[in-house]
Amino acid sequence: MQQDQVASFNFCMQKPLKTHQKTAGCWGMAFAILHFANLALLLHEQNHGLHLTDEEEDIYEHGFQSHGVTPRQFAKLLKAGAKFQNYAPGERIVAAGDAVQRVLYVTEGTCVAERAAGVVNIEYHQDVFIGTLWPKAWRSEFLGIPFTNEPNTNEDWEDSWLIEQAEARGLRNRGTSDDLHALLRSGLEEKTGPLTNVRAGSAWVSDVVAGPEGCRLLEWPLGVFSCAVGADESLCTAFQHVETMGLASKIVKGASRKALEGYKEILRATLSDNMIRPEEKMALDRYRARHGIPDGEHLQMLEGFGWSAEEFRCGMKTGFWSSLRQKWMATHKS
């Protein structure tokens, strides 16, 4: 209100107005108008602010906020045809060869991409998009300009981790975010095969099915979603970071899965004769420690093979010596 008082003083004073007094009065009026406009904007924000559900707020905080997506941008994306969809365990979400028409984001559970029935080549866990996003291509399509993408993949993809760490510590300025994205994508494709491009005109390269506990997805129509991201340059930049970190997360998750599968096969072979030698048990313990195999996974595998934790600790299946004795007696009787 101080601007109002200044304007009133300069205009209402009794002596004739001088030039500088008129100027001061005009500036006071301008500031007063801006003040009331700002107050009106704040009231509008208060009465028409963002209204996110608890689930939407949780999704935003865990999957979008850290990448630079603002609450208003996220709310705008939700209004771009977003809907939640639940899938039962093993239910097919998309089929290989189908046209890409939806943008899929995992909010709960997991789903897997399969090249053949039951053969998993990549796992999509919570807080990642299924397939590969192309925000820069969406931006080019919105602006109506050609999109060119020539990533530098001359270096081994694992170097990207060293590059990222070095840049974070300010030790050297090597590579760009585009290089990192290209390297991560190349590395993931080396392990899983071609990835689905979430772009108009693309097709799914594998079946995607819900994981063993089912999953909940947030889905958008591709055209509406890509236009919403492409129309906002800052949102496009944020989604480029979302995609880069998503690729890194998928690589780490894929590596963990391969470690679990490898341990399961090793454990199966070790338990096949119903006896575990001390050196074998030590090797299994070291493998679990080196690859971060959780104890719960280990015990679950043992149970699946018909072993208890106590039997594993003792290194022998219950009744092992009795079965050997029976086999020896049966052999010698004949």
Side-chain angles (χ1 to χ4, degrees):
M1 299 304 293
Q2 186 176 1
Q3 292 87 352
D4 304 344
Q5 296 173 356
V6 171
S8 300
F9 172 76
N10 283 284
F11 281 122
C12 299
M13 59 188 304
Q14 295 180 355
K15 60 182 180 179
L17 292 175
K18 295 182 180 179
T19 302
H20 73 277
Q21 292 171 333
K22 292 181 180 179
T23 303
C26 290
W27 277 112
M29 287 295 295
F31 283 123
I33 292 171
L34 290 175
H35 174 75
F36 284 117
N38 187 51
L39 181 61
L41 181 61
L42 290 176
L43 291 174
H44 176 78
E45 289 288 337
Q46 183 176 356
N47 296 326
H48 302 84
L50 301 178
H51 299 288
L52 300 178
T53 65
D54 291 341
E55 181 181 20
E56 291 168 347
E57 287 185 0
D58 185 67
I59 292 171
Y60 170 71
E61 291 174 0
H62 288 88
F64 294 86
Q65 185 177 26
S66 61
H67 302 294
V69 180
T70 67
R72 186 164 298 281
Q73 288 173 328
F74 182 68
K76 182 180 178 181
L77 289 177
L78 291 177
K79 294 178 181 178
K83 67 175 183 178
F84 288 96
Q85 187 69 40
N86 295 320
Y87 293 91
E91 183 178 357
R92 189 167 68 175
I93 301 169
V94 295
D98 287 351
V100 177
Q101 298 178 333
R102 293 176 292 165
V103 178
L104 308 175
Y105 182 79
V106 185
T107 63
E108 291 181 23
T110 61
C111 54
V112 295
E114 299 179 342
R115 292 290 162 78
V119 181
V120 176
N121 64 306
I122 186 170
E123 178 179 290
Y124 295 103
H125 55 93
Q126 186 174 328
D127 301 329
V128 299
F129 283 91
I130 299 176
T132 303
L133 306 184
W134 288 89
K136 289 190 175 181
W138 301 339
R139 179 66 175 169
S140 297
E141 291 168 0
F142 177 81
L143 297 175
I145 59 177
F147 173 72
T148 57
N149 183 56
E150 299 178 354
N152 176 21
T153 56
N154 293 328
E155 299 178 65
D156 187 83
W157 72 271
E158 291 179 344
D159 289 348
S160 63
W161 298 107
L162 298 176
I163 295 172
E164 186 181 34
Q165 293 299 318
E167 288 181 343
R169 291 171 172 78
L171 299 178
R172 59 192 177 105
N173 185 20
R174 176 190 174 196
T176 65
S177 59
D178 288 342
D179 293 332
L180 177 59
H181 178 270
L183 290 168
L184 289 172
R185 178 183 170 90
S186 175
L188 185 58
E189 286 185 323
E190 283 183 12
K191 294 178 177 294
T192 66
L195 303 174
T196 298
N197 296 318
V198 184
R199 296 179 59 185
S202 297
W204 293 96
V205 300
S206 58
D207 294 335
V208 178
V209 300
E213 298 180 357
C215 64
R216 181 171 172 82
L217 304 183
L218 186 56
E219 304 181 355
W220 290 266
L222 173 59
V224 181
F225 184 87
S226 61
C227 184
V229 175
D232 189 331
E233 186 173 2
S234 64
L235 186 58
C236 180
T237 301
F239 263 87
Q240 190 66 27
H241 190 261
V242 169
E243 172 59 18
T244 300
M245 293 301 101
L247 284 171
S249 178
K250 292 166 191 174
I251 289 175
V252 172
K253 194 68 177 181
S256 300
R257 184 179 183 85
K258 287 186 178 296
L260 281 172
E261 293 173 350
Y263 180 73
K264 187 174 184 178
E265 292 305 314
I266 294 172
L267 185 61
R268 185 200 305 275
T270 305
L271 301 177
S272 60
D273 60 357
N274 293 325
M275 185 175 181
I276 306 175
R277 297 169 182 79
E279 59 272 19
E280 292 175 334
K281 186 174 182 298
M282 182 179 297
L284 289 170
D285 291 343
R286 289 179 60 186
Y287 187 99
R288 290 201 310 278
R290 187 167 64 253
H291 293 280
I293 306 295
D295 290 340
E297 294 283 354
H298 167 68
L299 295 175
Q300 187 174 352
M301 291 179 191
L302 284 177
E303 183 179 352
F305 293 136
W307 281 63
S308 67
E310 181 62 23
E311 288 173 334
F312 181 82
R313 187 186 66 81
C314 295
M316 189 180 303
K317 195 83 168 68
T318 301
F320 174 68
W321 289 116
S322 298
S323 62
L324 278 183
R325 182 172 178 275
Q326 290 176 0
K327 288 181 180 179
W328 183 86
M329 292 179 64
T331 301
H332 283 71
K333 283 182 180 179
S334 59

